[in-house]
Amino acid sequence: MTIKSLTELKTYFELGDRPTEQQFEFLIDSFSVSSIGYQENIVPINQILCDSAIKIISSSGGSGNIFLISDPQIAQGVDGQKLILMGKNDSDIITLENNRGLQLIRNFECTSTSTIYLVYVHSKFKWVEVSRRDSLSDGTLLTVNDEGISLSSSVTSLNFIGANVSASNSIPGQVDIVVSGVSPDYVSHFNTSDGETNATINDFAVSSRNIASPVSEGLPYNIGSWIAGSQYNCINNSIISYSNIESFSILNNIDNTLTVNVYDANDTTILATHQVILTGNIDITLNNIRIQILNFTSDFTQYKADTIISININNIISTGGRFSIEIINDTITNGTFVKTQGPIFYDPNSNLSVLSGLSIVETPAMIVTKNISGVIYYTIGSNFTVNIADIDYLNDRSYPNTQIQIVGIEYGLPQLNLTGSDLTNWNNLYNDINDSYNKTNWEITSINFFTQSISANISSRAIDWINHGYINSTNTNILIDTYSNNNTGVFQDFRNEINRYQSDLVTSWNSSTNLSLIDSGNGLQLKNSQLIYPTEDFTIYNPTLGSQPDYSLSSGTKIYYSEFIHNGISHSNGRFQFGDYNITETNITNNDCIIEISLNGIDWFILNLLYPGGVISDGQGCRVNNGSYNLSLNNQIEFTFGTGKFTDATSGSSGWGLWYRISYADNVDGRNLNIGSFEIINWV
């Protein structure tokens, strides 16, 4: 047994310290009642009278023994009552007789400088001497724990002194000793992160929406002090749920409570409430509020648990309206912890919006067109008139900023997001009806866009908690092309006919002319950035319904003439690359597609045939390295002009170029070929 001074014992509990197991043992060994404030009750043995708690029965005086036995009047004390005897002189010996109410474990000499301490233990119906730790025999009076682990079970009283040490009777039968700054690692209090967990509760998800004006306050819903038409937090869910991210702290399992309140639009009237005492796992529903306490378990000297709170707000305010939520955890002695959210607006969205009479037509004098291969297309800048004849039930209690969407994807038109102010006859009243919409300048803005459709339409829908289904306009046949020119001296993507020539290689191509009426009707068609054989009847399409060309009866080989130029640079060969095409090497071999080049427009060299070597003449092959460059391997075909021939200041239309012509045969394969782009990749 090791005895330490009070001064040293106190150092174990200074700010920031955590006593070790050995230090707690020193504390118990060094413990004495005289150190904890009962010194004023010491009664010298020669002052004990018959009416005192203990009476002297006999004394031999001098060095004789003094014998004490229990007096029937005082045999039973009050639980925890203390009695202190002090020796008269150095030779006094006090004996407390066993089994007579006053019980001393063994005889010992009590000098004038020593003291006998007794405590009454009600559970044992006897007085027990506690002068020294080694004088105890039953070992069940007091157990001292360190973080829940027993250090000693033979202690009857403890007192901790110092501003940094505090004790609390948090659990019946147990006193918790805490050194300031060295508190146990408890989980956090409700809706906080002040401990070892994040016990906060997230807000229920809301949406910022405009509140429709009720017919009158309470009819059919309350908005309180809110201003109709302004934005507030809203929900559409009929069930609201809350839960702690992690477990929260519960001080005890006797009287701690959790209360849920739902308030009306005035923020004071309680619409529904539910309170539970946190005694363990719970799952109780009351007043449309369900409280679940889960995973209830001890947390050092306290408790912890998880919670799920579900509120059936639709049953509480079935017609909707403004409300607020309050959740209170009252620990009685350790503070009150609160989670609030609100005010919030509940919108049951019982009436769905209705749209009817959607239409789209050209806006007169605001149409822009373009011609390609004799076909007329709408293009960038064309304007259309859109109309919705009737719109009902837009404002069902609450509504978003965008209430209606109109999409014109097939027209290349930008999406229209309409607010109430965009509509005719609209107001912010609950269930507003008989609105309409009209816009005359809905303009095509999509670039590099193409549409050829016999069922083009626009669509519209109401936007609410759940977006409604689309309604469509009447189907229309339309052609739209907004592709811009990407051609360069060595690249052609067939978006327009700026660099296209007629077969004389002098006359530029007229894109407005019907293909059957230009260059003997032998021209290939450009459509949707593709070089194709003309096979379709376009008379059924807007923008000039009935006056478009009909190419369905086209026949014979069709040809496209153009040139590539690399100014100031002479080339004796080159390598074509094809993009977005369906031509195969088989088509080249079978002459379904014939590709030819020329320096002077007279002598044409054929890429479908291999270069024979030396100087080549009109009609001979010019393809080289077909094993390394072909359509199957890398989309390329390499050519040569043969010995002694190259581009120069006289080649092409104005020097430094080559002519090329592409022909599609009038057969099944030829009529289905297409090339999306064509370029010389090694002329830089």
Side-chain angles (χ1 to χ4, degrees), residues 35-50:
S35 68
I36 57 174
Y38 295 102
Q39 194 67 38
E40 69 273 18
N41 296 323
I42 293 177
V43 180
I45 199 166
N46 63 343
Q47 295 180 12
I48 297 178
L49 304 176
C50 292

Side-chain angles (χ1 to χ4, degrees), residues 392-403:
D392 295 324
Y393 305 119
L394 274 187
N395 311 334
D396 184 22
R397 296 171 178 82
S398 72
Y399 54 92
N401 285 338
T402 296
Q403 294 186 266

Side-chain angles (χ1 to χ4, degrees), residues 295-371:
N295 305 315
F296 193 99
T297 187
S298 60
D299 182 32
F300 296 101
T301 60
Q302 300 180 16
Y303 297 93
K304 62 182 179 179
D306 301 318
T307 184
I308 300 175
I309 297 168
S310 303
I311 303 169
N312 191 326
I313 196 65
N314 186 69
N315 285 353
I316 297 172
I317 46 174
S318 60
T319 59
R322 171 177 160 174
F323 70 96
S324 297
I325 300 294
E326 179 183 50
I327 307 172
I328 306 170
N329 172 220
D330 188 354
T331 66
I332 308 301
T333 60
N334 200 23
T336 300
F337 302 90
V338 181
K339 165 64 181 178
T340 62
Q341 186 177 5
I344 310 169
F345 188 85
Y346 171 54
D347 179 1
N349 197 208
S350 53
N351 294 317
L352 300 181
S353 301
V354 178
L355 311 182
S356 62
L358 177 65
S359 64
I360 182 171
V361 296
E362 293 180 4
T363 302
M366 297 181 69
I367 293 299
V368 180
T369 62
K370 69 189 300 185
N371 297 71

Side-chain angles (χ1 to χ4, degrees), residues 160-429:
F160 290 83
I161 299 173
N164 295 327
V165 183
S166 62
S168 63
N169 188 16
S170 59
I171 297 177
Q174 175 174 301
V175 174
D176 296 327
I177 311 300
V178 178
V179 179
S180 178
V182 199
S183 60
D185 297 330
Y186 293 117
V187 300
S188 300
H189 291 103
F190 183 82
N191 196 36
T192 74
S193 55
D194 59 2
E196 289 298 301
T197 59
N198 179 7
T200 56
I201 295 181
N202 290 329
D203 281 348
F204 187 80
V206 299
S207 300
S208 182
R209 289 166 62 96
N210 305 285
I211 304 301
S213 177
V215 177
S216 61
E217 184 67 4
L219 183 64
Y221 50 86
N222 290 319
I223 65 173
S225 59
W226 284 353
I227 300 173
S230 298
Q231 287 196 337
Y232 299 98
N233 289 333
C234 300
I235 64 169
N236 176 240
N237 308 69
S238 60
I239 303 295
I240 303 173
S241 296
Y242 295 98
S243 61
N244 295 87
I245 295 176
E246 296 178 285
S247 298
F248 70 98
S249 176
I250 301 170
L251 187 61
N252 63 59
N253 63 347
I254 298 176
D255 55 10
N256 284 207
T257 60
L258 190 68
T259 305
V260 180
N261 294 319
V262 180
Y263 291 95
D264 201 356
N266 58 16
D267 299 327
T268 57
T269 302
I270 294 180
L271 297 173
T273 187
H274 185 190
Q275 182 181 87
V276 297
I277 300 176
L278 304 176
T279 58
N281 288 332
I282 295 171
D283 189 347
I284 301 175
T285 301
L286 179 67
N287 298 327
N288 296 298
I289 301 172
R290 180 184 182 187
I291 299 178
Q292 295 173 272
I293 303 299
L294 310 170
N295 305 315
F296 193 99
T297 187
S298 60
D299 182 32
F300 296 101
T301 60
Q302 300 180 16
Y303 297 93
K304 62 182 179 179
D306 301 318
T307 184
I308 300 175
I309 297 168
S310 303
I311 303 169
N312 191 326
I313 196 65
N314 186 69
N315 285 353
I316 297 172
I317 46 174
S318 60
T319 59
R322 171 177 160 174
F323 70 96
S324 297
I325 300 294
E326 179 183 50
I327 307 172
I328 306 170
N329 172 220
D330 188 354
T331 66
I332 308 301
T333 60
N334 200 23
T336 300
F337 302 90
V338 181
K339 165 64 181 178
T340 62
Q341 186 177 5
I344 310 169
F345 188 85
Y346 171 54
D347 179 1
N349 197 208
S350 53
N351 294 317
L352 300 181
S353 301
V354 178
L355 311 182
S356 62
L358 177 65
S359 64
I360 182 171
V361 296
E362 293 180 4
T363 302
M366 297 181 69
I367 293 299
V368 180
T369 62
K370 69 189 300 185
N371 297 71
I372 304 175
S373 297
V375 179
I376 304 173
Y377 300 84
Y378 294 113
T379 192
I380 291 282
S382 288
N383 282 260
F384 295 84
T385 295
V386 57
N387 181 265
I388 305 176
D390 187 54
I391 306 169
D392 295 324
Y393 305 119
L394 274 187
N395 311 334
D396 184 22
R397 296 171 178 82
S398 72
Y399 54 92
N401 285 338
T402 296
Q403 294 186 266
I404 294 176
Q405 284 181 345
I406 307 177
V407 293
I409 296 174
E410 293 177 297
Y411 281 78
L413 295 164
Q415 179 173 293
L416 299 178
N417 298 310
L418 308 182
T419 65
S421 60
D422 294 320
L423 309 180
T424 302
N425 296 328
W426 180 88
N427 57 57
N428 65 11
L429 293 178

Side-chain angles (χ1 to χ4, degrees), residues 30 96 117 134 149 171 184 223 245 256 385 411 434 545 570 678:
S30 306
L96 299 182
Y117 300 92
D134 61 355
I149 300 174
I171 297 177
I223 65 173
I245 295 176
N256 284 207
T385 295
Y411 281 78
N434 297 327
L545 184 69
S570 179
F678 187 61

Side-chain angles (χ1 to χ4, degrees), residues 446-623:
S446 295
I447 61 174
N448 297 325
F449 172 82
F450 179 88
T451 287
Q452 178 181 354
S453 176
I454 59 173
S455 59
N457 57 46
I458 61 172
S459 303
S460 182
R461 65 179 178 179
I463 303 299
D464 213 326
W465 292 105
I466 298 176
N467 294 334
H468 299 186
Y470 284 104
I471 64 169
N472 299 322
S473 64
T474 302
N475 291 341
T476 304
N477 301 350
I478 59 171
L479 290 170
I480 300 175
D481 186 308
T482 68
Y483 281 115
S484 58
N485 178 33
N486 278 339
N487 294 344
T488 69
V490 293
F491 175 82
Q492 169 66 263
D493 61 2
F494 307 109
R495 292 185 173 187
N496 57 60
E497 295 166 308
I498 293 176
N499 296 325
R500 184 175 186 177
Y501 289 86
Q502 295 187 38
S503 57
D504 62 8
L505 302 183
V506 175
T507 307
S508 296
W509 196 267
N510 187 339
S511 296
S512 300
T513 304
N514 187 310
L515 289 178
S516 63
L517 303 177
I518 187 173
D519 206 17
S520 302
N522 294 327
L524 285 171
Q525 181 183 0
L526 273 63
K527 189 190 79 169
N528 192 21
S529 191
Q530 294 281 331
L531 183 64
I532 63 173
Y533 194 103
T535 60
E536 297 177 78
D537 179 5
F538 293 96
T539 60
I540 62 174
Y541 292 98
N542 287 302
T544 55
L545 184 69
S547 60
Q548 298 269 37
D550 180 2
Y551 298 145
S552 61
L553 299 179
S554 296
S555 62
T557 299
K558 304 299 181 184
I559 307 171
Y560 177 86
Y561 293 89
S562 189
E563 70 173 330
F564 286 142
I565 299 174
H566 193 189
N567 282 323
I569 305 297
S570 179
H571 295 283
S572 62
N573 56 64
R575 190 161 63 247
F576 289 123
Q577 178 159 299
F578 298 76
D580 189 19
Y581 67 97
N582 67 355
I583 297 173
T584 66
E585 286 290 338
T586 300
N587 294 133
I588 297 297
T589 300
N590 293 340
N591 292 329
D592 300 320
C593 173
I594 298 176
I595 303 172
E596 301 169 275
I597 58 175
S598 175
L599 292 172
N600 55 19
I602 298 173
D603 298 316
W604 291 90
F605 312 135
I606 306 173
L607 275 75
N608 298 59
L609 302 176
L610 296 179
Y611 170 55
V615 178
I616 54 177
S617 58
D618 181 48
Q620 288 188 300
C622 64
R623 184 174 183 179

